[in-house]
Amino acid sequence: MTAVPRPAAEDAAWARLAAIGAAILVFGLLFLLPLLAVFVEALRRGLDPALAAIADPDSLAAIRLTLLVAAISVPVNMLGGVAAAWCIAKFDFPGKRLLTTLIELPFAVSPVISGLVWVLLFGAQGWFGPWLQEHGLRIVFALPGMVLATVFVTFPYVARTLIPLMQDQGREEEEAAATLGASGFQTFRRVTLPNIRWALLSGVLLCNARAMGEFGAVSVVSGHVRGQTNTMPLHIEILYNEYQFVGAFAVAALLALLALLTLGAKLLLERLTGRRAAVHA
Amino acid sequence: MSVEIAGLTRRFGAGRPALHGVELLVRGGEFVALLGPSGSGKTTLLRVLAGLDVPDAGQVRIDGRDVAGVPARARGIGFVFQSYALFRHMTVFENVAFGLRVRPRGARPREAEIAARVRRLLELVQVPELERRYPEQISGGQRQRVALARALAIEPRLLLLDEPFGALDAQVRKDLRIWLRGLHDRLGITTLFVTHDQDEAMAVADRIAILREGRVAQFDEPAALFDRPADAFVAGFLGEANRLPCRVAGGLAHFAPLPLAPVPAAVADGPALAFVRPAALVATPGGEGVVRGARHDGRVLHLSVQLGDTLLEATPAPGWEGPRRDDRCGLRIASALVFPADAAD
Amino acid sequence: MTAARRRWRRSALPGFGLSLGVTLSWLSAIVLIPLAALALRPWELGPAGLWASIADPRVLAALRLSFGAALAAAAINLPLGLLLAWVLVRYDFPGRRLADAMVDLPFALPTAVAGVALTALYAPNGWLGAPLAEAFGWRIAFTPVGILIALVFIGLPFVVRTVEPVLRDLPSEAEEAAATLGATRLQTLRRVVLPALAPALLTGFGLAFGRAVGEYGSVIFIAGNLPMRTEIAPLLIVVRLEEFDYAGAAAVGLAMLVLAFAILLLVNLLQRLLRPWAARA
């Protein structure tokens, strides 16, 4: 029996198996094992202690604050992102490339620096610090600072999901709407928005996942006061440093679930649109 | 409705402007083709008319009214995009209804009336069965018809079509252009369409504006363009022609060193360029030329004749049956279009 | 609307002024003004003071660790990312779609969660840390190796996701042509496939490095944070802030940004050299 020659662009069976095996090993060690560790460590003493740790008043306060910060930052970045995508994708103007680069700048900056800049502006020795103190206003080490840091970190997500899609879609449908007598608002609502809704949702989901999970930036501007200026990621750190491992991992598991949900939703949206959303810089 | 275009100029960055002082006067009810090579400014001109682009200089008057300050959405001009630009998330019905549904509340017809009008339009463009389909689910020819129905829904006084048949198969193209011409005759809307296909322009347009490098080279009826081209560019652009350098002296063009008899030429003395259509270059048996190739296109026999170093396209004289390769022949110019050499390129 | 204004923005579509205005205010308020503070504050120390605060041995050690570990992690990510991308694009195996979706896990998982999870695995008493310490006497957590593992984890998706689309679009005809010209499979991979992927690999390297160099949350749990040994530069910024040394913190941040941009610029230049056939403006 003669062997059927395999196509020229295909690898030998042994090479394929070795590659798949190696990939699964990398995958398991680097991705699955840490994920598994979060849930196993959270449930190490059973479900009840884990649930009790989450129901702890400080944990609940952290969850509430996390939701509040995300609820403010995400809409801000959604509006800004849609506006940026609209002017960059649908118009030509000098400085457009520079603007696109500047919008992605926060991805190139360390989360700690994203928090630091707000302290430099609004901290006690910040540019506007003395003025704020005179007027009894508090930005840094309080909610406004945490929101600002979160907005900075999640700034590019919506814009960078929308810009490539809207550029691919071109301007002709909007121009057609204009020749048919539609106003600007009508054009946006009836023509543009339906075309970008899934990508917009996908961008908002990613923005939200990062907003709820941000650690470095928020850590710098948070007062680290339990029950007051602690978000879930910060609460994990506090519990972990106090050797309350079950509590730390229980809160971590909650955030890991959020990450998995976000990935699932993103996968679903990609199926719906047949287009891959860029998650990263 | 008439369209007057005067001194229209549009520049994209540095370099040659896309439109460079376009002058054009279109009469009401005319069917006009804008014909030219790619990059000649055809589409830009159409977009400026629709208000989708803004000129740097010049004027557009529609029915005598300057439209400079009027935005696209208030012009009431029907525009059919080359790619159709159908709204992909709307059904065919919703696409056609769009222009009616976005009207201000006072001027908006009732939904029942909109439905009736959409159906009438879909009948008119002969695709009534498609109303529930989405643009992705129908063929190119059908999309083209739907795009036209959508543009007609706002009852435009002027219809602009950008390469309306560009993306279609040869046969569908031919059927659609005849149908479009019939539709135009029935509705009587002034229509301008862009094309780079001269057969198409010749077949359906009342008049053709030939564009070259952002200017109108000539605007005339098809036969006149062919018989009396305004310049060497138009003569060379329309149809096939042999280009022969020559020298004009005393009203005659001389082709020396080629053994061709002089022909009358109404240009000043000096170097010139003659355009001779293959049908006007008659080959007779015996002479200094050599037949290098012969091919039949179903109706006429075309000859490639070598004369000196030049290869010319010619037609056998009536009565010369079956010329073959390597036969010797003589050539006679029945008619030529001669232009001064400095203006020719 | 005047004709002059319409001429300036050259489009029939509405909303240019509004969307550009919103974008510029959003960008200035959230990104540009804060980063200006970062760029200007260190100079309060004067050039000599600025130099002294960066040339401090502890700062230099931290910068060396951050940049060295980030470069090493990005380099490790090259073969790992290529392997994962290759297997995901070229082979079919059960679970491929799930694996493809899970590649984004490090993007979606909050860094603090990743940090505690990796520590649980690699701590001396952890799932992997304990057997490794027992069998080989290796210590991973609380050493630079632990930092490296965290940075490999967060950087890997960048390489996979930049190589994947290029690999998918690579025409198999090129490989088939190589085969008809007598190349072995290995020669084809080395001389045809790898050069075609090189620009994408380099882009992935740059992105993974850029993310790793500023990474905070996933590192500080596993790093041990010993000054001069396992203290990363972002952590040093936090330390300086806690000492209320704003200018010193800003100086470290500025040094990080300048160094990172210099390295990314170098990567960019290298990329142009790698693809002379696609000389871009």
Side-chain angles (χ1 to χ4, degrees), chain A residues 48-98:
Chain A
D48 288 338
L51 290 179
I54 290 172
D56 174 79
D58 287 346
S59 298
L60 286 179
I63 293 173
R64 259 198 304 277
L65 185 63
T66 301
L67 292 174
L68 180 62
V69 169
I72 302 171
S73 333
V74 173
V76 168
N77 278 340
M78 188 173 100
L79 289 179
V82 169
W86 177 262
C87 67
I88 285 173
K90 304 286 178 186
F91 297 91
D92 292 315
F93 53 94
K96 185 160 124 167
R97 284 181 64 153
L98 179 67

Side-chain angles (χ1 to χ4, degrees), chain B residues 9 20 107-108 118 125 129 161 196 208 215 254 258 268 280 325:
Chain B
T9 296
H20 198 178
R108 192 184 309 160
V118 170
V125 298
E129 71 281 6
L161 304 103
H196 63 267
I208 299 173
R215 293 180 215 257
H254 298 273
L258 290 181
R325 272 184 74 139

Side-chain angles (χ1 to χ4, degrees), chain B residues 221-277:
Chain B
E221 290 168 13
L225 289 172
F226 202 76
D227 297 335
R228 297 185 299 278
D231 58 26
F233 170 76
V234 177
F237 182 68
L238 282 185
E240 283 176 43
N242 296 296
R243 292 159 169 256
L244 294 171
C246 55
R247 183 152 206 95
V248 175
L252 282 178
H254 298 273
F255 295 95
L258 290 181
L260 288 166
V263 292
V267 299
D269 287 1
L273 187 65
F275 290 84
V276 183
R277 308 260 182 233

Side-chain angles (χ1 to χ4, degrees), chain A residues 172-173 175 178 182 186 190, chain B residues 47 73 83 87-89 102:
Chain A
E172 284 201 341
E173 286 189 37
E175 287 179 345
Q186 284 172 322
R190 292 172 175 250
Chain B
R47 290 173 59 84
R73 69 188 187 88
S83 62
F87 305 127
R88 67 199 94 183
H89 62 286
V102 296

Side-chain angles (χ1 to χ4, degrees), chain C:
Chain C
M1 169 174 6
T2 66
R5 252 189 72 199
R6 281 168 51 79
R7 193 171 305 139
W8 180 68
R9 64 176 175 75
R10 293 293 186 201
S11 172
L13 301 184
F16 177 64
L18 179 69
S19 61
L20 188 65
V22 169
T23 305
L24 289 180
S25 341
W26 178 63
L27 183 69
S28 310
I30 301 296
V31 177
L32 297 184
I33 295 175
L35 284 180
L38 179 74
L40 296 178
R41 290 292 304 252
W43 301 99
E44 290 168 7
L45 301 167
L50 175 60
W51 179 247
S53 96
I54 292 173
D56 174 49
R58 187 170 167 193
V59 174
L60 288 181
L63 287 175
R64 208 176 300 129
L65 177 65
S66 274
F67 281 82
L71 285 171
I76 294 172
N77 277 331
L78 283 181
L80 291 186
L82 180 59
L83 172 74
L84 288 191
W86 185 270
V87 167
L88 287 176
V89 171
R90 290 296 177 99
Y91 305 147
D92 209 4
F93 56 94
R96 192 186 62 84
R97 297 191 80 107
L98 185 69
D100 192 27
M102 289 293 286
V103 167
D104 285 330
L105 181 72
F107 290 143
L109 196 68
T111 53
V113 178
V116 293
L118 290 172
T119 313
L121 291 180
Y122 293 103
N125 59 352
W127 297 18
L128 298 173
L132 285 175
E134 200 162 308
F136 308 103
W138 290 354
R139 271 172 57 89
I140 293 178
F142 317 130
T143 71
V145 181
I147 298 175
L148 197 62
I149 287 179
L151 297 185
V152 167
F153 171 79
I154 53 129
L156 187 54
F158 289 97
V159 179
V160 180
R161 289 299 186 226
T162 42
V163 171
E164 221 181 337
V166 182
L167 191 58
R168 191 171 286 126
D169 293 344
L170 205 65
S172 59
E173 284 90 341
E175 288 166 62
E176 288 167 358
T180 65
L181 295 169
T184 66
R185 183 71 188 140
L186 210 60
Q187 284 173 319
T188 305
L189 291 181
R190 197 164 57 83
R191 292 171 178 257
V192 178
V193 178
L194 208 54
L197 295 181
L201 280 168
L202 204 53
T203 306
F205 176 89
L207 291 169
F209 163 76
R211 171 73 198 262
V213 79
E215 181 56 26
Y216 181 68
S218 58
V219 176
I220 54 155
F221 293 97
I222 203 172
N225 308 329
L226 281 173
M228 306 300 294
R229 252 181 62 70
T230 55
E231 183 180 60
I232 53 169
L235 178 65
L236 194 56
I237 294 178
V238 175
V239 171
R240 289 274 186 269
L241 271 182
E242 281 166 358
E243 294 163 351
F244 297 102
D245 179 5
Y246 284 17
V252 177
L254 189 61
M256 275 182 71
L257 271 192
V258 170
L259 266 174
F261 280 132
I263 287 176
L264 291 178
L265 201 68
L266 213 66
V267 169
N268 218 323
L269 284 176
L270 199 59
Q271 188 143 39
R272 283 187 196 194
L273 288 180
L274 263 182
R275 37 188 305 171
W277 67 88
R280 278 201 285 176

